[in-house]
Amino acid sequence: MTQLAVKVDIDSLRGYREGVPKMLDLFKKHGIKASIFFSFGPDNSGKAIRRIFRKGFISKMMRTKAPSTYGIKTLLYGTLLPAPMIVPSDPGILVRAVEEGHDCGVHAWDHVYVQDELARISKEEFRSLFERSADMFEKLSGRKPMSCAAPGWQISQVSLEVQQELGLNYCSDTRGRKPFLPVFGGRSYTPVQIPTTLPTMDEIFGLPGVDDDTIGDIWLKGMDSDWNVLTVHAEMEGLSKIDVFDGFIEKAKKSGVQFRTLAEYAEECRPDKCEIIMGTLTGRAGTLAVQKEE
Ligand SMILES: [Zn+2]
């Protein structure tokens, strides 16, 4: 039986306000539950433009048609336009996701800041950023978030330590093959890592042979393991590519794929220890946290 968990990352105000409601409708239509990770605080998407100096960033922006995917305004937030707050702009969207039974957790307080500056963020600061998101989550939904997913698959000793201290049920910060207990920089940590196993749309879209008509089959063919995790973005699969995403879910259901959540994986898995290394992936600029090959 092929199992797939859909992991939704919400990076921006537009993704949250416009993409998430559409995705929730889609999940309801198909009768599936997803794992959804929210950016709570300021949308500083415009500052991501600093990544222009990083190898691979421009080609990714061109391939994915970033200005039309994210919207021109989004690309100016935090620079020419002030950074708007994401979840406070319409708390009902988060509440709806929780009430509809999705597995919800923390992506970031400030996505761009954490993704770009993590190496310089102290433990105290990381913890206080996480707690801001967690407090807002709890105030709105009545429960504490018990999971997180790192922005841009960036980790540090600090982020892993805080996750351990908070006693999270699982974290999805990495790319890899199957759930594992992370070892990083010679230290082991307890919250199980549930890695993303499939390439994301923004990594492969526009490469030779990858388009609206083929990407669903590429994902289906890529599902070889017991634990398949697909990360999608509210900004992309929730908006301009929602029909492509809809078609993929339809096809996956028809071919017998069982949709699960990361929380369910975390409960059922029997993870072994495995090292995390900082590696590179096709279509993604810079380095990211990868489960080491056995
Ligand atoms: Zn993200």
Side-chain angles (χ1 to χ4, degrees):
M1 184 181 70
T2 306
Q3 305 184 89
L4 173 69
V6 172
K7 165 177 173 273
V8 181
D9 285 357
I10 304 160
D11 296 357
S12 68
L13 181 72
R14 181 156 180 259
Y16 176 71
R17 293 184 62 111
E18 297 174 31
V20 176
K22 288 194 173 76
M23 290 186 124
L24 293 176
D25 291 345
L26 191 70
F27 295 143
K28 192 182 265 180
K29 180 179 98 174
H30 288 293
I32 64 178
K33 305 286 180 233
S35 296
I36 308 179
F37 297 91
F38 293 83
S39 292
F40 287 80
D43 178 353
N44 275 307
S45 299
K47 288 184 183 157
I49 216 80
R50 287 179 304 211
R51 293 186 206 134
I52 217 151
F53 299 109
R54 215 175 284 163
K55 190 170 154 273
F57 181 70
I58 293 183
S59 67
K60 182 184 156 199
M61 295 292 268
M62 301 295 284
R63 263 192 302 106
T64 58
K65 302 193 174 64
S68 59
T69 299
Y70 284 83
I72 292 297
K73 256 168 103 179
T74 302
L75 297 177
L76 300 176
Y77 285 149
T79 56
L80 295 178
L81 293 172
M85 297 292 277
I86 298 176
V87 170
S89 75
D90 188 352
I93 297 171
L94 179 137
V95 173
R96 179 184 164 196
V98 172
E99 281 176 353
E100 292 185 357
H102 296 287
D103 166 34
C104 297
V106 173
H107 197 27
W109 177 256
D110 180 338
H111 191 289
V112 170
Y113 177 62
V114 174
Q115 180 173 352
D116 289 356
E117 305 294 332
L118 183 60
R120 283 172 287 279
I121 294 177
S122 70
K123 192 167 154 188
E124 292 66 35
E125 185 183 10
F126 188 87
R127 195 181 170 116
S128 99
L129 287 167
F130 190 94
E131 280 172 348
R132 271 200 229 179
S133 302
D135 290 349
M136 192 177 284
F137 186 105
E138 190 175 4
K139 216 170 91 195
L140 294 173
S141 72
R143 61 181 95 147
K144 282 186 197 301
M146 293 309 291
S147 61
C148 70
W153 294 281
Q154 297 302 307
I155 59 144
S156 67
Q157 300 274 8
V158 156
S159 69
L160 296 172
E161 269 174 40
V162 171
Q163 292 164 356
Q164 173 152 337
E165 286 176 11
L166 292 168
L168 299 182
N169 290 340
Y170 74 85
C171 308
S172 186
D173 303 330
T174 51
R175 306 296 291 260
R177 304 171 305 281
K178 59 180 184 186
F180 66 101
L181 291 168
V183 177
F184 184 64
R187 276 192 60 184
S188 11
Y189 298 87
T190 45
V192 60
Q193 277 287 336
I194 318 274
T196 293
T197 64
L198 290 161
T200 65
M201 185 182 270
D202 63 346
E203 285 161 2
I204 58 171
F205 199 83
L207 294 178
V210 189
D211 57 29
D212 287 351
D213 298 328
T214 59
I215 193 159
D217 289 326
I218 291 168
W219 281 334
L220 282 172
K221 278 193 205 114
M223 288 187 219
D224 49 357
S225 54
D226 293 339
W227 314 93
N228 299 290
V229 178
L230 175 67
T231 294
V232 298
H233 288 91
E235 291 75 15
M236 196 174 240
E237 285 90 341
L239 287 168
S240 62
K241 297 294 184 192
I242 190 132
D243 293 338
V244 177
F245 187 46
D246 188 9
F248 163 69
I249 294 177
E250 187 68 48
K251 211 166 188 180
K253 276 169 66 184
K254 279 207 184 102
S255 59
V257 171
Q258 300 286 314
F259 284 86
R260 312 294 309 281
T261 63
L262 297 182
E264 289 169 336
Y265 281 1
E267 233 176 76
E268 293 163 20
C269 68
R270 297 280 170 271
D272 292 325
K273 280 187 183 180
C274 190
E275 207 175 318
I276 300 178
I277 53 169
M278 296 311 285
T280 55
L281 276 187
T282 308
R284 195 154 283 285
T287 58
L288 69 176
V290 179
Q291 179 179 14
K292 197 176 172 190
E293 296 287 333
E294 271 150 356

